[in-house]
Amino acid sequence: MKELLKELREKSLAAIAGAETSEALEALRIQYLGKKGELTAVLKQMGRLSAEERPIMGQLANEVRAAVEQTLEAQKKLLTDKALEMKLAAETLDVTVPGVEPRLGRQHPMYIVLDEIKSIFIGMGFDVLDGSEVETSDYNFTKLNTDEGHPAREWSDTFYFTPDSSILLRTQTSPMQIHAMETRSLPIRIIAPGRVYRKDEVDATHSPMFHQIEGMAIDKGITMGDLKGTLNEVVKQLFGPSTVTRFRPHHFPFTEPSCEMDVQCHKCGGVGCPTCKGEGWIEILGAGMVHPKVLEGCGIDSNVYSGWAFGFGLERLALRRFNISDLRLIFENDVRFLEQF
């Protein structure tokens, strides 16, 4: 038995020292020290020994077990240290190597213009409001003096949610006029940018989803001259002091009198081209004096107060601001296009 223990000691220690993975080391522990291991098998033969030999062999067996356990621990530490060294080597960062410059995004040209417009109006004393893109037909049409039967209320023009045509995606930011007049105290000076939705076909200047900036001022003594002066100042700050504008009579149910404002086409200088559809001008907004019926419907005395309102098309402002020829470029998210701004 003494020879068996000696042979087991030499064999196990050599095998343990040669283990290269934690899994192999665990397998050797079970092989030699497990319940069915080789050392246990040898110890089961102790019953054959005489009473004088048993203490001697028992002590020798304990020495073998202790040697195996110590070697297992030592090899385990060695493998752990080796794995850590390999991990550190793999994760080493050479601070002398030039870094990789991250690719930074850019602000969208439309939102560059929006921030500029906000800054201009805030400088004029206006507040910036935000509103829901889902509206009721009452706020989107009725309270804006657009009665049943108006073409704008048809299913062919508007995205409705309900068969009774009471809930819809707003077709304009004009409902913010009503919300402001119902909730804010006079005088009122607000702008309200946001997305709007209409069943337009996509072309160089139209999209079924686009952005408007609603603006409104309500106070005593407000005139059409105040409207024209404000809008001319805004576009000159946006596009430069030499910007050419024109105002044309128009009709909107919620303003009276009403007008549309055009800027001279930035691509052709007024001669006519595909961008302006040969007209030489690009419409950027509709405006006018707030209709007395709209004021009265919000509890404002139209004999004391007056006001004006307008609605910018934000994409068209971006076209003019950056000399972009096609509105579709703004929505296509082509990085080659967006990186120019």
Side-chain angles (χ1 to χ4, degrees):
M1 178 178 252
K2 185 177 181 179
E3 291 300 322
L4 285 175
L5 288 171
K6 182 180 179 182
E7 182 183 345
L8 177 61
R9 177 189 178 116
E10 293 175 354
K11 182 177 68 171
S12 63
L13 297 186
I16 292 169
E20 296 184 352
T21 66
S22 298
E23 292 77 11
L25 192 64
E26 176 63 13
L28 289 171
R29 185 192 69 79
I30 295 171
Q31 177 183 342
Y32 293 114
L33 301 182
K35 290 182 178 181
K36 297 181 180 180
E38 294 185 22
L39 180 59
T40 304
V42 173
L43 291 176
K44 287 181 179 180
Q45 302 178 30
M46 293 280 285
R48 302 176 184 176
L49 302 176
S50 64
E52 292 81 12
E53 290 179 316
R54 285 178 190 172
I56 299 172
M57 290 301 106
Q59 182 179 355
L60 183 58
N62 288 335
E63 291 175 358
V64 172
R65 178 182 292 277
V68 172
E69 289 177 344
Q70 290 174 4
T71 306
L72 284 169
E73 287 299 319
Q75 188 65 13
K76 181 178 180 180
K77 184 177 186 304
L78 182 66
L79 292 176
T80 302
D81 292 345
K82 184 178 179 181
L84 179 59
E85 290 177 5
M86 293 175 63
K87 183 178 181 181
L88 291 174
E91 296 178 356
T92 297
L93 176 64
D94 186 352
V95 295
T96 65
V97 176
V100 178
E101 184 176 357
R103 186 177 183 183
L104 299 178
R106 287 172 169 78
Q107 189 176 18
H108 195 283
M110 190 174 65
Y111 287 99
I112 295 175
V113 175
L114 177 58
D115 285 347
E116 291 176 351
I117 292 172
K118 286 180 179 179
S119 179
I120 293 169
F121 276 101
I122 289 173
M124 293 179 174
F126 284 70
D127 294 330
V128 180
L129 304 184
D130 188 22
S132 173
E133 294 173 22
V134 177
E135 270 291 0
T136 65
S137 57
D138 192 33
Y139 277 89
N140 196 82
F141 293 121
T142 307
K143 291 189 175 185
L144 287 163
N145 199 34
T146 307
D147 295 327
E148 295 285 349
H150 192 281
R153 300 184 70 144
E154 295 296 325
W155 282 81
S156 58
D157 285 351
T158 300
F159 294 100
Y160 287 100
F161 285 91
T162 56
D164 63 357
S165 304
S166 61
I167 306 295
L168 51 86
L169 290 173
R170 65 182 180 186
T171 63
Q172 54 199 354
T173 47
S174 300
M176 290 304 298
Q177 291 183 37
I178 307 301
H179 290 299
M181 286 189 283
E182 287 183 345
T183 59
R184 300 173 75 89
S185 57
L186 296 166
I188 300 172
R189 287 175 175 80
I190 60 101
I191 62 168
R195 284 184 288 265
V196 298
Y197 304 85
R198 297 179 189 174
K199 291 183 178 179
D200 286 337
E201 295 297 326
V202 176
D203 62 24
T205 55
H206 293 84
S207 169
M209 187 282 293
F210 56 101
H211 296 75
Q212 279 189 346
I213 305 174
E214 190 74 16
M216 182 180 70
I218 306 290
D219 203 348
K220 296 176 180 179
I222 296 286
T223 68
M224 192 75 172
D226 299 317
L227 170 64
K228 294 181 67 175
T230 301
L231 294 179
N232 273 325
E233 179 61 24
V234 170
V235 297
K236 288 182 185 297
Q237 287 195 41
L238 273 177
F239 307 139
S242 60
T243 303
V244 180
T245 65
R246 73 176 183 183
F247 289 83
R248 294 177 286 104
H250 198 69
H251 169 72
F252 297 108
F254 38 89
T255 53
E256 180 61 38
S258 304
C259 66
E260 287 188 335
M261 180 181 183
D262 304 330
V263 293
Q264 198 171 74
C265 179
H266 54 281
K267 295 296 290 185
C268 64
V271 176
C273 68
T275 298
C276 61
K277 298 183 178 179
E279 296 181 3
W281 299 87
I282 296 177
E283 174 203 337
I284 61 170
L285 64 85
M289 300 300 292
V290 179
H291 199 291
K293 286 184 65 175
V294 175
L295 292 173
E296 296 289 346
C298 295
I300 297 174
D301 188 345
S302 61
N303 294 316
V304 178
Y305 290 93
S306 59
W308 50 253
F310 67 83
F312 271 119
L314 182 55
E315 284 81 0
R316 294 188 183 185
L317 293 181
L319 294 184
R320 177 64 177 80
R321 173 71 172 76
F322 294 110
N323 294 330
I324 300 170
S325 60
D326 196 318
L327 179 143
R328 287 167 289 195
L329 292 168
I330 289 178
F331 296 114
E332 289 174 349
N333 294 322
D334 190 324
V335 175
R336 295 169 299 176
F337 168 73
L338 297 176
E339 283 181 340
Q340 300 176 58
F341 304 99

